[in-house]
Amino acid sequence: MNNDMIDILEDRKDQIHRTGAAPYAMDCQKRSLAGSVSQRACVFCGSRVVLYPITDALHLVHGPVGCAAYTWDIRGALSSGPELHRLSFSTDLREKDVIYGGEKKLYAALTELIAEYHPQAAFIYSTCIVGLIGDDVQAVARKVERETGIPVIPVQSEGFRGTKSTGYKAACDALSRLVGTGPTHHLPDHSINIIGEFNLAGEAWILRRYYERMGVHVAATLTGDGRVNDIRSCHGVKLNVVQCSGSMMHIAKWMKDTYGIPFIRASYFGIEDVSRALYDVAEFFGDDTVVERTRDLVRQEVKAILPQLSLWRSALEGRKAAIYTGGAFKAFSLVRSLRTLGVKTVIVGSQTGNQEDYELLRELCDEGTVLIDDTNPLELQKFIRETGADLLIGGVKERPIAHKLGLGFCDHNHERKLPLAGFEGMVHFGREVYASLQSPVWHLTYRSSGPCKEVS
Amino acid sequence: MLLRHTNTEVVEREALTINPAKTCQPVGAMYAALGIHGCLPHSHGSQGCCSYHRSTLTRHYKEPVMASTSSFTEGASVFGGQSNLLTAIETIFTVYAPDIIAVHTTCLSETIGDDIVQITAKATGKGLIPPGKYVIHANTPSYVGSHVTGFANMTKSMVTYFAQAVAEKKNKTVNILPGWVEPADMKEIRRLAGEMGVAILMYPDTSGVLDAPQTGRHEFYPRGGATVDQIRASGDSRITLALGPTASTSAAEALDSRCKVPFQTLELPIGLRATDRFINALRKAGKVEVPASINDERGRLVDMISDMQQYFFGKRAALWGDPDQLVSLAEFLHDLDMKPTYIVTGTPGRAFEERIATVLGGRLPEVKVRQGKQADMFLLHQWIKNEKVDLLIGNSYGKYIARDEDIPLVRHGFPILDRVGHQYFPTVGYRGAMRLCEQILNVLMDRQDRDSPEASFELVM
């Protein structure tokens, strides 16, 4: 097949736009067309990534072994204590169970595991097949909860029930069973929850340190380095700060409706966005000391990283990037962060962005930027070649495509190895982009623009 | 201590797998299908299945892995996935233009009871399959067998869909079903046959697909893979050598019953004796002599083993992974004078224990073997905690045990998520066995260097 001859499929035309062209409405949040080589995952995946970082809970995958095997310790969500979440527990359903039901197995597995590991709570993830064979997971959960005294929470994550976003919502519904069941008297006045932060490469720890320096207490992180008891008490805060809007907005909205706790959206990627996030929180409390401390913090941190960033910038100026993320919210920050580094964004796509996201992206990006919803490798390659991008930012399935095309790559997903959040995260991001683009390997490949210049 | 949750008391678990030593059928079917040239594997199920399998294969090979999905919805799970598959077939041939779509099912579509043959027939009736293009399928319910079963089922489907006995007389060609091995292994099998002067047809063949060079382009269908014509012609071959009983027997049997091509099943040619048997079978099948060059390769391997035998002597090893690899590895380690003490596969099948017993010939009474139910990494770790081993051989999931128990690890099998090399350097054949020896010796001798007191720290080993 000639890759230069790729035509965009008729059905997908409304999921691809160029900024600056006629006004448009992105036809997003729809199911992938059957038969597409989609980069998307399923409901189970959405639930699993959101709940996985709760380190002292039991995560039991109810279904055939695959779903548990593929999600065994693949997300670098770090823990400062328990590591129970990094093991893989499965009821490993077999043919017999599909015929006669898996409830007995589920019960046995749960009781054995709880007796052995004494977790603070247990999550039972339903996979596709559980939804079909009609196991009464709720009943088993209630029984085990009665017998063991810990919360046993079913997660309605059957893969076919919707998209990955449906899975986020199922995870939030599961979490709402925990929230509000613990004491709050120990929480100081200036308390917040960090929501939608999964502590990849230790990012939640960076944010916690910032908030502590500001005089703001973080009651719970949902769910990075998460603890069940923190979550049970997290309704005692004054404010929820929601990152990665796609995945956990539901729980923030639910807490607003149920407990009257307001929320703000935040992104911690890039100087502008992280500063904005911290100032927003400080201003919310309206406490001059907090505002003053925040100002000091931002000033110190920015000052500390600027020299290094301008060095990266001198090497990267004029390079072009393509972005393909899960949620679209992250893409805003990436466009801005890349600008800080002198890199122009020429393609932005996401798996789960909504119309509002794409409208904001249109405003944010330079004219001519290609915006794509739920893309596939063929389209991605077509636009990369057309725009002459030098760098791709994406996840596991995109990395080798980038390298085959001779592009630099930065993983801004599960497999990031360095924290990219906060001010220090911006330096790491700069380093990753620079490291990938300066590599001498680009002298050896078919890519004409070659590596960027060496600056350190 | 990441695995501090592992206790030493081994109790029979009723219904629970902890840290599995297997995964589900579809990923095996996807891997096998990638061994057909111009083929797009298609996952008939929820979107997540396809995404997980592609991610796992991508992590293992560091290569783009293309596959499509039926993207099941709630509606499909109630009313069946027929319309999804019909749409998918149309979309795929329009947009991605493969020669073949290889459909595999999932637990979801199996339980719903989708009849792929009937749906494909409908697609043909509606003219959705362009002339000269094909849709094949394999049933791969995730709740039966393991990923190896899925590989075996897709390989068998290649036979049932394509192989034909056309000529009156069988030709001199020898079919080789390589089993679930790496692209590099398939390439090595081809080289050995070439060296012997035996004409072969081999499928699936992922070499040239999952080890593609950097060209500045992303080839949706890389150059490698067995062609439909080759698979079709395998019906006229003289004999089939089925390597690895778990992965290859069912396809060989199908080829025998459809096209009357007799077959011989062999253990995977990993290690000295298994390679001897393979070379001998190839010699007989091709009616050729073993050339001096191959004798030399064998001689070099024996030389290497004899030079280094003191370092192998008596070392206890724990192995996990897939049955076909484990049987041959166990035999080879034993030939190296090591003790393959613990052997675990999550893939169910009683024959496994017998095969291990056969290759070890009762020479290692303390060996512990477990397959199927609750045969997982947790159990293996418990055994190791009770009595330590000197070496671990298996996929990346052993790295937790390696770290916690401070035992050297040689990565072998699927998946390997944290190292490279397995895609490029074979472990089959005599040269492959030399590479295994090198890997084993490197970790054992590094360990000796690390642990020996200064006084007895040696330059020459």
Side-chain angles (χ1 to χ4, degrees), chain A residues 1-4 9 31-42 44-45 60 64-66 69-74 81-84 86-90 92-95 98 105 108-109 112-113 116-117 128-129 132-133 159-161 376-378 381 385 396-397 400-401 403-406 415 445-446, chain B residues 2-5 7 13-20 22-24 27 42 46-48 51-56 58-59 62-64 66-74 77 84 87-88 91-92 94-97 107-108 111-112 142-145 212-218 220-221 348 377-378 397 400:
Chain A
M1 182 172 43
N2 186 342
N3 285 319
D4 297 328
L9 193 67
R31 306 233 13 140
S32 303
L33 189 62
S36 58
V37 180
S38 170
Q39 307 294 83
R40 278 175 171 175
C42 65
F44 168 74
C45 177
L60 175 62
V65 77
Y70 302 118
T71 52
W72 176 6
D73 202 22
I74 55 164
E83 303 272 15
L84 193 58
R86 297 183 68 180
L87 304 191
S88 171
F89 301 114
S90 167
D92 195 357
L93 294 184
R94 313 303 298 169
E95 193 159 24
V98 174
K105 242 182 167 175
E112 280 178 49
L113 281 168
E116 184 64 46
Y117 296 122
C128 285
I129 205 158
L132 283 187
I133 61 179
F160 59 82
R161 276 196 197 283
N376 62 60
L378 273 185
Q381 159 151 264
R385 291 167 72 91
V396 54
K397 293 193 291 291
I401 299 176
H403 289 162
K404 279 283 185 283
L405 293 172
E415 290 178 21
T445 64
Y446 295 82
Chain B
L2 210 154
L3 297 183
R4 58 180 171 270
H5 305 288
N7 49 20
R13 277 167 277 149
E14 262 186 62
L16 172 64
T17 297
I18 308 177
N19 299 348
K22 65 172 174 185
T23 181
C24 64
V27 73
H42 179 82
S46 294
Q47 228 165 25
S51 177
Y52 281 136
H53 304 145
R54 288 177 62 208
S55 293
T56 305
T58 296
R59 289 180 171 121
K62 314 234 175 289
E63 285 291 304
M66 296 300 122
S68 55
T69 165
S70 285
S71 303
F72 265 50
T73 55
E74 200 130 19
S77 72
N84 290 56
T87 311
T91 306
I92 292 166
T94 315
V95 187
Y96 306 108
C107 46
L108 180 58
T111 309
I112 297 166
S142 318
Y143 43 76
V144 176
Q214 209 277 358
T215 56
R217 303 179 67 92
H218 163 227
F220 216 80
Y221 306 107
M377 299 302 289
F378 184 81
Y397 290 119
Y400 305 110

Side-chain angles (χ1 to χ4, degrees), chain B residues 167 169-177 190 193 197-203 229-241 255 260-263 281-288:
Chain B
K169 217 170 141 243
K170 298 295 180 198
N171 60 35
K172 287 183 181 168
T173 308
V174 175
N175 297 328
I176 295 182
L177 303 172
R190 189 175 295 288
V198 179
I200 63 163
L201 287 172
M202 177 166 69
Y203 56 86
D229 287 344
Q230 288 168 340
I231 303 173
R232 188 175 289 133
S234 68
D236 284 330
S237 297
R238 174 190 288 163
I239 187 173
T240 302
L241 300 182
L255 196 52
K260 302 285 172 286
V261 181
F263 70 94
L282 207 52
R283 176 185 68 80
K284 285 187 193 161
K287 299 192 168 63
V288 293

Side-chain angles (χ1 to χ4, degrees), chain A residues 27-218:
Chain A
D27 188 14
C28 49
Q29 288 186 301
K30 64 180 202 179
R31 306 233 13 140
S32 303
L33 189 62
S36 58
V37 180
S38 170
Q39 307 294 83
R40 278 175 171 175
C42 65
V43 180
F44 168 74
C45 177
S47 295
R48 189 87 170 96
V49 295
V50 166
L51 295 175
Y52 168 81
I54 303 175
T55 59
D56 57 353
L58 176 73
H59 301 269
L60 175 62
V61 181
H62 186 33
V65 77
C67 300
Y70 302 118
T71 52
W72 176 6
D73 202 22
I74 55 164
R75 192 163 160 90
L78 306 192
S79 169
S80 56
E83 303 272 15
L84 193 58
H85 66 304
R86 297 183 68 180
L87 304 191
S88 171
F89 301 114
S90 167
T91 49
D92 195 357
L93 294 184
R94 313 303 298 169
E95 193 159 24
K96 185 168 77 64
D97 309 312
V98 174
I99 298 165
Y100 298 109
E103 289 173 24
K104 272 194 188 145
K105 242 182 167 175
L106 176 62
Y107 174 79
L110 270 175
T111 45
E112 280 178 49
L113 281 168
I114 293 170
E116 184 64 46
Y117 296 122
H118 313 291
Q120 296 296 311
F123 293 102
I124 310 164
Y125 301 81
S126 289
T127 59
C128 285
I129 205 158
V130 172
L132 283 187
I133 61 179
D135 274 4
D136 191 346
V137 178
Q138 302 275 1
V140 176
R142 274 196 301 271
K143 184 164 186 246
V144 178
E145 189 164 283
R146 262 197 317 274
E147 290 170 6
T148 62
I150 65 159
V152 179
I153 304 168
V155 187
Q156 283 214 315
S157 52
E158 293 89 343
F160 59 82
R161 276 196 197 283
T163 63
K164 195 170 169 185
S165 320
T166 321
Y168 297 150
K169 177 158 189 314
C172 289
D173 289 345
L175 278 175
S176 68
R177 292 267 318 269
L178 281 179
V179 175
T181 60
T184 58
H185 54 80
H186 61 289
L187 295 177
D189 199 37
H190 291 347
S191 288
I192 60 165
N193 295 318
I194 304 178
I195 294 185
E197 160 55 51
F198 304 110
N199 203 31
L200 302 183
E203 289 175 342
W205 299 333
I206 293 176
L207 303 178
R208 253 175 200 273
R209 284 199 294 273
Y210 291 159
Y211 284 121
E212 273 162 24
R213 280 166 65 188
M214 288 159 55
V216 172
H217 176 74
V218 178

